Amino acid sequence: MLAIIGGTGLYELDGLHEVREESVVTPWGPPSGPLVLGRLADQPVVFLARHGVRHAIAPHEINFRANLWALREAGARAIVGVGAVGGIAPEPAEGGIAVPDQLIDYTWGRPATFFEGPESPVEHIDFTWPYTEALRRRLLAAAVHAGVDAVDGGCYGATQGPRLETAAEIARLERDGCTLVGMTGMPEAALARELGIDYACCAVVVNRAAGKNDGGEVSLDTIWQNLSQGMDNVRAIIGALFAVEHTDEG
Ligand code: HPA
């Protein structure tokens, strides 16, 4: 089953049938909110709002372990993580979509593994390619099907937040090779890998990252405007996900 984790601006899925909500508790505590299970184009799907239903949970407060565990228990074998990001590279423009193929983790202090505690053996996952290529391809094919331009590839720099970055921090991320910056991409991707769940990121550019806007500041008003256009694109892509050919990752 496919799961969608909705970020800022995506709190529910359109067109879901046979909807039922499940409030679950995991060994890692409660997830961000109830799981919303249903069917899209006759395929089962489960949805979770990453920041909670009323967007009350800040990026560093998200219980990523509980979210991933709950989705796995519900039967998710592939997850599309939707997230608002700042654009470091010129493309995509605001409101546009990117499907990154790499990430760099700058977050700190977030519980980032299931492999800890006296009962757990030490395990290391391969994370050379943090996103599942087949699922990335499926997302990109869905974008083509939906008539939405999406940038194939890029490097997601995951920052701690909740504040936005300084211009110098963004210049450093750029030197590191980041093309996008967001606050929720990690540890979500790594936890999915630890559980053996396919994972891809659908990043929505809602602003030019700090210092990339002709020296101007990042305007929060502009972010909200771009978010609504960007999320229309995301909804179109999700709607098309079930129409495109896919292998067994869904
Ligand atoms: N930086 C970090 N996270 C973000 C940004 C940004 O500029 N925009 C949206 N999420």
Side-chain angles (χ1 to χ4, degrees):
M1 174 164 60
L2 181 69
I4 310 284
I5 300 182
T8 308
L10 188 70
Y11 306 108
E12 56 188 28
L13 281 189
D14 299 334
L16 211 56
H17 297 288
E18 298 171 38
V19 186
R20 64 175 206 283
E21 286 197 0
E22 263 180 33
S23 293
V24 297
V25 180
T26 76
W28 312 96
S32 296
L35 303 180
V36 181
L37 294 116
R39 297 183 85 79
L40 256 187
D42 221 29
Q43 303 285 323
V45 63
V46 52
F47 177 82
L48 176 62
R50 190 188 282 117
H51 296 279
V53 239
R54 272 177 295 283
H55 197 110
I57 310 173
H60 61 289
E61 295 173 326
I62 294 167
N63 189 342
F64 288 99
R65 289 192 293 196
N67 287 355
L68 275 285
W69 195 270
L71 290 173
R72 206 258 315 248
E73 291 299 287
R77 295 297 171 264
I79 297 176
V80 172
V82 177
V85 298
I88 300 177
E91 294 290 326
E94 288 101 313
I97 306 288
V99 182
D101 60 357
Q102 271 300 335
L103 65 78
I104 300 180
D105 188 7
Y106 301 92
T107 66
W108 46 269
R110 302 182 180 188
T113 179
F114 293 108
F115 303 135
E116 66 181 20
E119 303 297 314
S120 169
V122 177
E123 277 192 47
H124 303 282
I125 50 162
D126 171 64
F127 206 44
T128 311
W129 298 101
Y131 302 110
T132 307
E133 187 58 18
L135 190 55
R136 272 192 358 95
R137 293 274 137 234
R138 183 172 164 196
L139 256 179
L140 289 161
V144 170
H145 196 269
V148 173
D149 279 338
V151 170
D152 175 1
C155 181
Y156 181 117
T159 54
Q160 177 71 358
R163 66 167 175 83
L164 296 168
E165 298 71 32
T166 66
E169 286 169 337
I170 292 299
R172 171 193 169 205
L173 263 66
E174 188 171 31
R175 286 193 298 277
D176 285 353
C178 297
T179 58
L180 309 162
V181 56
M183 299 174 194
T184 55
M186 279 295 282
E188 196 168 273
L191 291 169
R193 181 66 53 85
E194 284 192 353
L195 292 179
I197 303 176
D198 290 344
Y199 183 89
C201 169
C202 182
V204 187
V205 174
V206 295
N207 59 284
R208 309 292 315 138
K212 291 284 161 195
N213 194 12
D214 293 330
E217 296 171 4
V218 177
S219 147
L220 275 300
D221 285 346
T222 319
I223 289 190
W224 293 116
Q225 282 162 24
N226 292 329
L227 191 63
S228 92
Q229 187 203 329
M231 285 307 155
D232 287 346
N233 285 332
V234 170
R235 286 193 186 88
I237 293 175
I238 292 174
L241 266 176
F242 295 94
V244 295
E245 277 298 306
H246 61 278
T247 48
D248 61 357
E249 85 280 356

